[in-house]
């Protein structure tokens, strides 16, 4: 077993001198993780402010047919009513962004309203254009307000108190803490990144210690030493696992520090707070590190089939997609409630546990099943790697 | 020191080594000669336990290659045909890593490294990273690495390939010195001049089989030639001629069969 440590120490020293490993395993997690996370929040913040500040541009077919409504909208400084358009010209303007919503009224509109009959107004919008959607929502609210005011005025004429219109008063009370809202928010991105770093962190060193050793033609000399193949592959595996784990640890700590020192503050008045508790961080660390160990074994098994760096990268790309695809699918389905079997799928289970932890839902069963499943798969991966390394065909395929 | 007994190695249907047997003793330089693809490197790899024999076995310093592979590897130093070094390590670090894998450490290891740097004339580049080395420099480090543990059995697979005259001389002197110290040196090479100068006994492989095994003088006598190259050409040539003859016979027999089949 001492030989394993010798191999381990050599591979670590060797890869510390390799810029590629240093960039993917150390620099990327330290800088990329906080930059992407905080960057995403900043972008969302900017987006939210922008849509709040947006002034919808509205056009009518014939303003003269609805003077009351036009005046109501014009008096409200939150809207701009532009010159009349036909429905075709309005559609063209909407595509270009010169117009957000188009209102079409019938010639009898004004008469119907003043007579107290419901009058139709068609609200044209395009749900595939974000600006049109937000404008549509704002205009809908304005139209409802117009409705209400008119109704109140009509009731006043008949001496009926307007309160009669209100049967119930729904009052929403959100008891999610600002922290939980923040956790929900980063729950879409952070778990993906942990899985990603668990793979990417060990990728270069895995290639370097297996295919790289073949490419440099040092493998045979190594096999000629008294160290058994099992001890050699154990040493290499330890080096890959240690590197991948370091990546996970660095990325989580750098994220923790980033949120601590530059807490993203958005929504109005601290509606979202992102703070990772030490408990949350340590569960994420546990899951992340075991996941890194498991992927290290798999990476090593895949890369040894290649004769060169290039070939190894070709083998690892599909493997990488295979691992990351289910993860990105399940983590992008909002409100997806995983059942227990989902916590047995390696990678996917990590995503769900991290998500739960971010919402302060510490489900012991889920955490234990996840850790257990990852451990079992890690052992299988290491077993596969050692089996492959003892086959001479794989090592001497000229 | 090496006893090879009926060694056969088959790679998915291709027989690379067929029923090869020979014995070597301490204190000699034993030449393993043969044209490209004869099976020399495969024989060496099986003896060195990196490949498993299909049948037959061998003993190295009294250890069986199948039953005691780790003891065999401890007692043997092999310079592989394809040399490679860790590019991001210096020559010294390359040697040290292998020393550690042979369970050497501390003062003893550093002394051994220093001795090899001296003996193979590597002082100028011992502390430079191997990535920038020329073929000759790499070859010297590879040699030093293969014998870092001072093995009693040394196998060199084409040690002078790619070396200039001066560097070759350093390696040749080194092999002579190893013989003087009572070690066994097995030399596989295409360079007949070097083989003639160095080898006490030679084995010639051709088409996976051993076609000659004797001292140099006796081989020259038998073939009535004056140098090893001519003897080699004659022995291999005869064997190749036999092959052509066999093939012709087989084709002939196959032709007869075909004729019969179509004739009836
Ligand atoms: N790993 C392998 N898989 C399949 N065939 C192999 C393998 N290694 C060698 N061979 C085949 O075995 C035969 C003997 O090869 P070997 O390398 O032992 O010859 P050699 O005598 O060392 O030749 P050279 O002088 O060119 O080095 C060749 O036909 C070679 O193609
Ligand atoms: Mg060869």
């Amino acid at each position: 077993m001492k030989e394993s440590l010798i191999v381990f120490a050599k591979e670590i020293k060797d890869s510390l001198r390799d810029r590629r490993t240093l960039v993917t395993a150390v620099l990327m997690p330290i800088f990329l993780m906080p930059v992407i996370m905080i960057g995403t929040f900043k972008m969302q913040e900017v987006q939210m402010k922008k849509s709040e500040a947006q002034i919808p541009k509205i056009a009518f077919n014939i303003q003269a047919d609805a003077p009351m409504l036009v005046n109501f909208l014009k008096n409200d400084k939150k809207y701009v009513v532009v010159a009349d358009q036909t429905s075709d010209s309005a559609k063209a303007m909407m595509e270009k962004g010169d117009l957000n919503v188009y209102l079409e009224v019938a010639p009898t509109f004004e008469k119907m309203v003043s007579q107290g009959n419901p009058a139709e107004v068609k609200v044209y919008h395009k749900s595939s254009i974000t600006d049109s959607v937000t404008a549509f929502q704002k205009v809908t609210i304005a139209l409802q307000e117009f409705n209400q005011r008119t109704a109140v005025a009509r009731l006043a004429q008949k001496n009926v108190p307007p309160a009669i219109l209100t049967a119930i008063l729904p009052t929403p009370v959100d008891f999610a803490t600002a922290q939980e809202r923040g956790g929900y928010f980063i729950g879409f991105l952070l778990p993906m990144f942990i899985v990603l770093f668990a793979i990417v962190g060990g990728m270069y060193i895995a290639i370097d210690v297996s295919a790289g050793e073949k490419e440099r033609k040092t493998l045979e000399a190594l096999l000629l030493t008294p160290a058994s193949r099992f001890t050699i592959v154990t040493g290499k595996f330890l080096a890959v696992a240690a590197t991948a784990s370091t990546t996970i640890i660095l990325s989580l700590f750098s994220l923790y520090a980033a949120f601590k020192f530059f807490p993203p503050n958005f929504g109005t008045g601290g509606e979202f707070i992102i703070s990772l508790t030490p408990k949350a961080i340590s569960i994420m660390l546990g899951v992340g590190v075991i996941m890194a160990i498991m992927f290290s074994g798999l990476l090593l098994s895949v890369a040894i089939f290649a004769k060169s760096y290039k070939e190894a990268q070709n083998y690892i790309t599909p493997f990488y997609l295979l691992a990351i695809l289910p993860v990105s699918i399940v983590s992008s389905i909002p409100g997806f409630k995983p059942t227990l079997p989902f916590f047995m799928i390696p990678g996917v289970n990590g995503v769900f546990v991290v998500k739960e932890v971010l919402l302060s839902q510490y489900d012991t069963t889920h955490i234990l099943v996840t850790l257990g499943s990852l451990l079992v798969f890690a052992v299988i991966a290491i077993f596969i790697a050692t089996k492959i390394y003892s086959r001479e065909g794989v090592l001497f395929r000229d | 020191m090496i006893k090879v007994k009926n060694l056969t190695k088959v790679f998915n249907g291709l027989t690379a080594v067929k029923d090869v047997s020979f014995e070597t003793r301490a204190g000699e330089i034993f030449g393993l000669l043969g044209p490209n693809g004869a099976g020399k490197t495969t024989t060496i790899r099986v003896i060195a336990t990196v490949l498993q024999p299909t049948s037959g076995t061998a003993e190295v310093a009294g250890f069986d290659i199948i039953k005691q592979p780790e003891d065999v590897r401890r007692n043997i130093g092999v310079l592989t045909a394809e040399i490679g070094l860790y590019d991001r390590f210096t020559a010294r670090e390359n040697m040290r890593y292998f020393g550690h894998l042979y369970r050497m450490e501390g003062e003893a290891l550093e002394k051994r490294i220093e001795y090899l740097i001296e003996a193979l004339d590597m002082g100028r580049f011992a502390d430079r990273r191997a990535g920038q080395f020329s073929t000759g420099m790499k070859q010297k480090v590879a040699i030093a690495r293969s014998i870092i543990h001072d093995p009693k059995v040394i196998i060199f697979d084409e040690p002078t390939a790619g070396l200039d005259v001066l560097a070759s001389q350093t390696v040749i002197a080194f092999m002579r010195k190893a013989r003087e110290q009572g070690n066994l040196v097995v030399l596989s090479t295409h360079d007949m001049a070097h083989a003639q100068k160095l080898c006490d006994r030679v084995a010639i492989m051709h088409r996976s089989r051993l076609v000659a095994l004797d001292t140099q003088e006796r081989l020259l006598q038998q073939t009535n030639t004056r140098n090893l190259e001519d003897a080699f050409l004659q022995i291999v040539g005869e064997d190749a001629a036999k092959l052509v003859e066999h093939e012709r016979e087989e084709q002939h027999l196959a032709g007869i069969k075909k004729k019969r089949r179509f004739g009836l």
Side-chain angles (χ1 to χ4, degrees), chain A residues 146-165:
Chain A
F146 179 79
N147 240 353
Q148 231 166 9
R149 283 208 202 170
T150 317
V152 166
R154 284 174 188 168
L155 289 174
Q157 262 178 10
K158 294 182 179 161
N159 276 328
V160 181
I164 197 162
L165 279 178

Side-chain angles (χ1 to χ4, degrees), chain B residues 35-42 44 81-82 157-158 188 190:
Chain B
N36 291 124
K40 305 180 297 290
T41 300
T42 306
I44 292 171
E82 281 179 331
D157 198 350
E158 295 177 32
S188 171
H190 287 286

Side-chain angles (χ1 to χ4, degrees), chain A residues 17 208 213 220 225 392, chain B residues 9 45 73 86 88 93:
Chain A
R17 291 183 182 175
D208 198 55
E213 190 115 41
E220 192 175 355
T225 66
E392 64 183 31
Chain B
K9 176 68 186 175
R45 281 178 172 167
R73 292 204 291 275
Y86 297 113
R88 296 184 290 266
E93 285 168 336

Side-chain angles (χ1 to χ4, degrees), chain A residues 13 15 66 104 180 238 309 315 340 353 364-365 390:
Chain A
K13 183 174 173 187
S15 66
E104 193 179 83
E180 281 165 345
L238 287 177
Y309 258 91
Y315 292 162
L340 200 59
V353 164
T364 319
T365 318
S390 53

